[in-house]
Amino acid sequence: ARITHLEPFGAFADIGCGIVGLISIENISVSRISHPSDRFSVGDRIAVIVRRIDGEGRLYVTHRELLGTWEENAALFSPGQTVAGIIRSIESYGVFVELTPNLAGLAEPKEGVTVNRSAAVFIKSIIPEKMKIKLVIIDSGAGEVFTPKQTALHLPEGGHLSHWRYSPPCCPKIIETKF
């Protein structure tokens, strides 16, 4: 698909022959983003999966299922590593730092950090049963732009996906998509 238009609620993508589908913001990635422009630009070519077609013929597509599961993304990191990430949101209880498009961790609160800026983070722990990565911000970029590591696209065999589970089997919280 080719991204044709961005709105605060999602991105529109031409899947071919002028057929346009909507990727709602929650279907762009599991990691929280504030706007589709955090992930895409107009003209980007991406892979999508048809999620559904409504009664009026509108097409809804998704991208997040192609970015890997929590376990696949977490396997790229180890406790004790210092890695680059991008600050996605700042809350009173901590700072969410995206490590890959489908994986973010929570860092302790830190003064002077800014959303959408790069950060060097120390990985304190990885907890699969809670789908948590605990981080400490070592340094926050003054102006650099960092693009999180894109994981390999996980295209289903035969091109059809009927079920996708993001959550590890050991986690009681289930994040999944049934097509």
Side-chain angles (χ1 to χ4, degrees):
R2 185 180 52 80
I3 300 297
T4 59
H5 187 73
L6 302 172
E7 289 290 339
F9 55 85
F12 291 92
D14 184 330
I15 65 166
C17 300
I19 299 170
V20 177
L22 171 64
I23 310 170
S24 59
I25 197 162
E26 67 273 5
N27 289 314
I28 292 173
S29 66
V30 173
S31 292
R32 300 172 187 183
I33 56 173
S34 59
H35 191 276
S37 63
D38 292 343
R39 187 76 67 232
F40 302 135
S41 296
V42 171
D44 284 354
R45 294 206 171 273
I46 63 165
V48 297
I49 296 175
V50 175
R51 188 168 170 87
R52 70 183 174 91
I53 301 171
D54 72 11
E56 296 178 30
R58 290 180 293 219
L59 183 67
Y60 296 88
V61 295
T62 182
H63 181 70
R64 73 184 193 151
E65 290 82 357
L66 299 172
L67 299 175
T69 65
W70 189 92
E71 283 182 308
E72 290 167 335
N73 282 277
L76 300 171
F77 306 96
S78 301
Q81 275 185 307
T82 299
V83 298
I86 187 163
I87 297 168
R88 286 297 180 202
S89 72
I90 302 167
E91 309 298 334
S92 60
Y93 53 86
V95 179
F96 285 97
V97 180
E98 182 179 287
L99 303 175
T100 71
N102 249 14
L103 184 71
L106 182 63
E108 298 165 352
K110 183 168 176 98
E111 293 291 322
V113 297
T114 307
V115 172
N116 290 332
R117 293 290 183 203
S118 64
V121 293
F122 175 79
I123 300 174
K124 286 174 48 174
S125 62
I126 298 175
I127 310 165
E129 57 276 2
K130 293 184 177 181
M131 285 191 301
K132 291 189 177 185
I133 298 184
K134 294 185 178 182
L135 306 169
V136 176
I137 297 174
I138 306 297
D139 188 27
S140 177
E144 311 95 52
V145 175
F146 169 74
T147 302
K149 183 187 298 186
Q150 175 77 36
T151 55
L153 291 179
H154 297 269
L155 298 172
E157 191 174 316
H160 179 75
L161 185 65
S162 59
H163 179 261
W164 174 78
R165 182 173 170 155
Y166 178 74
S167 315
C170 63
C171 182
K173 180 179 179 183
I174 297 174
I175 299 173
E176 65 184 353
T177 305
K178 293 181 181 179
F179 295 94

